[in-house]
Amino acid sequence: MPYRVTEYQAPAWLPGGDLQTIYPYFFAPVAQMDYRRERWELPDDDFLDLDWMDAAADAPLVVLFHGLEGNSRGFYALALMHAVKQRGWRGVVVNFRGCSGEPNRLPRAYFAGDSAEIDYVLKRLQLKNGHAAVYAAGVSLGGNALLKWLGEMGENAMALITRAVAISAPLDLTVAGHSLDKGINRYTYTAKFLYTLKQKALQKLDAYPALYAREQVKAVSSLYAFDDLVTAPLHGYQGADDYWRRASSKPGLIHVRVPTLLINARNDPFMPGTALPGAGEVSPAITLDFPAQGGHVGFLQGPFPGNVNWLPQRALGFFETGQ
């Protein structure tokens, strides 16, 4: 039977976008998954690690692209893959370069506008998938990259995937980046991201000592500074402003042709509700689901201690029915 998903309602005991973001990350009860890891050697001599949830070869396949400094063990990845398993479908979490527990080989890593990587992954999966339906989901940074690919590909994307869902995507990276670098956000979310981003950047200097100045990396205290020094030049941008502008998916949403669901809470501390697109800024193929609450990739529901079932049920329901 098709999934029937009600409109999202935040629990009364978990008020506000910050609590709705932080609590699920640390405390949401989720099932642990026994993945099968597959390593892909890439044409540029780097590699990707994919973590699979296997099922029948002709079952639908759900492909997940995770968020900044995420991986297949994040609570939202585990929750989605658990729901996929319960449905009897197949699932695969694509760990971006450097996110699978082992440093990648090249100076470059992953970034919010890497539509070429999305394209490569989906084409390679399609070659070995046969005729089963392929559904793509992207969370946060992965959602932006997926949406950017969808906008660039237009109708051609329909040859590779049937439907797509983007969850809490920072559609306007300039707005999102400056939001994360302001006030309490800078000392909570941004500080957490920078802790591992800076570690990885410093490790790169052991193999590639001329990439950037070690002391400058150590001194970074904002996402803007990190992207300006590291992310942008490593991935072909002139600086953080150029990167945030050109890698944002929002301008291309009008060109999306694959049926796509956008889920963003209006109280997301990363992506202010005022920056979310209206119906006139997206193509008719896009369904907008912007609940008043939910935080950033939170969407906890139910009595204490709550559960994170709403998000995977909403995504799989859209994959199955298009609604």
Side-chain angles (χ1 to χ4, degrees), residues 6-12 14 20 291-294 299-302 307 310:
T6 58
E7 183 178 347
Y8 176 73
Q9 297 289 333
L14 194 68
Q20 291 165 9
Q293 301 195 46
F299 300 101
L300 198 84
Q301 65 175 6
N307 66 77
W310 183 85

Side-chain angles (χ1 to χ4, degrees), residues 24-323:
Y25 181 86
F26 287 106
F27 303 114
V30 290
Q32 295 301 309
M33 308 304 295
D34 292 323
Y35 293 119
R36 173 180 60 84
R37 174 155 290 187
E38 179 184 15
R39 174 160 293 187
W40 283 2
E41 294 293 332
L42 302 178
D44 60 6
D45 295 325
D46 212 340
F47 68 90
L48 285 175
D49 285 331
L50 284 72
D51 287 332
W52 286 86
M53 182 56 55
D54 292 320
D58 60 348
L61 173 64
V62 175
V63 186
L64 175 63
F65 300 99
H66 61 74
L68 181 64
E69 291 301 270
N71 55 52
S72 63
R73 294 292 171 185
F75 80 90
Y76 56 81
L78 293 170
L80 180 61
M81 289 299 114
H82 179 66
V84 167
K85 181 180 180 180
Q86 287 185 314
R87 194 62 174 168
W89 292 3
R90 295 172 298 147
V92 60
V93 184
V94 181
N95 296 287
F96 288 126
R97 302 184 193 215
C99 292
S100 65
E102 181 179 333
N104 66 305
R105 300 175 189 137
L106 298 184
R108 63 150 296 177
Y110 67 103
F111 61 101
D114 200 357
S115 53
E117 196 90 301
I118 303 294
D119 188 65
Y120 176 83
V121 168
L122 293 176
K123 283 180 176 175
R124 186 160 169 175
L125 288 172
Q126 198 270 344
L127 284 174
K128 59 187 295 186
N129 187 62
H131 300 290
V134 178
Y135 304 117
V139 174
S140 196
L141 175 146
N144 185 81
L146 175 61
L147 290 170
K148 190 167 186 297
W149 175 80
L150 285 164
E152 291 170 353
M153 291 290 286
E155 290 185 359
N156 293 330
M158 300 173 73
L160 297 178
I161 62 174
T162 303
R163 296 188 181 101
V165 172
I167 299 160
S168 300
L171 310 169
D172 186 325
L173 292 170
T174 301
V175 171
H178 287 308
S179 294
L180 284 167
D181 278 344
K182 289 180 182 175
I184 192 66
N185 284 1
R186 182 167 182 167
Y187 302 101
T188 52
Y189 310 115
T190 296
K192 177 187 174 297
F193 289 138
L194 288 177
Y195 179 75
T196 52
L197 286 169
K198 289 167 67 173
Q199 282 186 324
K200 290 178 179 179
L202 292 170
Q203 286 176 345
K204 290 286 185 186
L205 291 177
D206 295 337
Y208 302 97
L211 285 180
Y212 30 70
R214 185 178 295 270
E215 294 306 314
Q216 284 184 291
V217 174
K218 290 181 178 179
V220 162
S221 62
S222 68
L223 279 181
Y224 183 93
F226 184 86
D227 284 347
D228 203 51
L229 176 67
V230 179
T231 313
L234 282 183
H235 300 102
Y237 299 94
Q238 295 302 308
D241 292 317
D242 182 49
Y243 167 45
W244 288 358
R245 177 180 59 83
R246 290 170 51 203
S248 293
S249 61
K250 189 176 180 180
L253 295 179
I254 199 71
H255 303 300
V256 173
R257 295 296 178 264
V258 170
T260 299
L261 173 66
L262 267 59
I263 304 173
N264 283 74
R266 293 191 176 274
N267 70 346
D268 186 334
F270 294 23
M271 180 69 183
T274 54
L276 293 174
E281 298 175 271
V282 303
S283 85
I286 291 180
T287 299
L288 304 178
D289 190 349
F290 297 156
Q293 301 195 46
H296 184 76
V297 203
F299 300 101
L300 198 84
Q301 65 175 6
F304 184 83
N307 66 77
V308 288
N309 296 336
W310 183 85
L311 202 53
Q313 296 293 336
R314 181 71 178 98
L316 294 184
F318 182 80
F319 287 152
E320 188 171 58
T321 68
Q323 299 178 353

